[in-house]
Amino acid sequence: MNHFYLSLLIMCLVLYGIRLAPFLVLRKEIKNKYVRSFLSYVPYVTLAVMTFPAILYVTENIWSGLIALIVGLIAAWFGGNLMVVATVCCLAVLVSGALL
């Protein structure tokens, strides 16, 4: 068997095993309120972990990404919707990139 097909088969088995494992282990509903509250935060943490490095390293200068992050957090804190926050962040990157 070719190494490509063998590695493809192994990757498929690992991916399917990871997706199948929760169904095999967790057959009943989770009733513990602490575990349920912990699991409710998993999507938000995953999104933050994936987007935070991208925000800082998307530009050539890490400082312009950091400035845009801070400006975006301030805009979101004061009730800006997604369009306002994204626009303000883009402007912050544009201005700070020109100044730095």
Side-chain angles (χ1 to χ4, degrees):
M1 185 181 270
N2 193 349
H3 290 291
F4 173 74
Y5 292 116
L6 180 63
S7 58
L8 188 65
L9 177 68
I10 292 171
M11 285 188 289
C12 288
L13 290 174
V14 168
L15 181 65
Y16 187 70
I18 289 172
R19 292 177 184 227
L20 185 65
F23 291 113
L24 295 176
V25 174
L26 304 172
R27 293 182 185 229
K28 295 187 280 185
E29 182 182 354
I30 300 171
K31 295 183 180 176
N32 188 335
K33 67 179 183 176
Y34 298 112
V35 174
R36 288 177 65 95
S37 68
F38 171 76
L39 290 176
S40 69
Y41 288 110
V42 169
Y44 303 109
V45 170
T46 305
L47 181 64
V49 165
M50 290 188 310
T51 57
F52 183 72
I55 291 170
L56 293 179
Y57 296 112
V58 72
T59 61
E60 293 179 8
N61 190 355
I62 192 171
W63 294 108
S64 61
L66 185 64
I67 290 169
L69 175 67
I70 292 169
V71 168
L73 287 174
I74 292 170
W77 181 266
F78 285 109
N81 61 13
L82 182 61
M83 189 66 186
V84 171
V85 173
T87 304
V88 169
C89 288
C90 289
L91 291 174
V93 167
L94 183 68
V95 170
S96 64
L99 295 177
L100 295 177

